[in-house]
Amino acid sequence: QLQASGGGLVQAGGSLRLSCAAPRRTFSNNGVGWFRRAPGKEREFVASISQRGDSTYYGDSVKGRFTASRDNAKNTVYLQMNSLKSEDTAVYYCASAPGPYATATSIYRYWGQGTLVTVSS
């Protein structure tokens, strides 16, 4: 139901913007989280944004470099990634929280297909 897109190959120091689109019923009233899984590693919380977009949280490894935003009119959530590093290489997923707020510890209900981000050094 959720579809992440926008991944690709980028050089270290570059930028990418990921998008997460879903039917209106999936997160019109819900917070959304971004996660990633790098090869051989466990899934990691990246960022989250509330339903109104007025509350965001970030994982320590991306603070100051990544920004979550959303356009509810388009049923789309974004993750702007700047100053990318090789350690940001991973498959990135978006997920819908059960309520209007989302944090690293929320119990996410719906998960989308991931999009691969590869950062070359």
Side-chain angles (χ1 to χ4, degrees), residues 65-110:
R65 299 188 297 123
F66 290 12
T67 303
S69 62
R70 64 191 296 161
D71 184 340
N72 287 338
K74 296 182 178 180
N75 299 320
T76 303
V77 173
Y78 303 99
L79 183 67
Q80 178 66 42
M81 306 186 297
N82 298 329
S83 302
L84 284 162
K85 306 175 182 179
S86 57
E87 49 263 45
D88 295 318
T89 294
V91 177
Y92 284 72
Y93 301 87
C94 56
S96 175
Y101 293 97
T103 68
T105 58
S106 296
I107 307 300
Y108 290 88
R109 294 185 303 180
Y110 302 113

Side-chain angles (χ1 to χ4, degrees), residues 3-8 18-19 34 90-94 112-117:
Q3 179 63 54
S5 62
L18 305 184
S19 299
W34 286 97
V91 177
Y92 284 72
Y93 301 87
C94 56
Q113 298 292 325
T115 185
L116 176 63
V117 172

Side-chain angles (χ1 to χ4, degrees), residues 2-3 10 22 24 28-29 42 47-48 52 55 60 65 68 73 76 81 86 95 103-104 116:
L2 283 75
Q3 179 63 54
V10 63
R24 179 178 178 82
S28 61
N29 296 311
E42 294 189 354
S48 64
R52 294 176 60 182
S55 177
D60 289 341
R65 299 188 297 123
T76 303
M81 306 186 297
S86 57
T103 68
L116 176 63

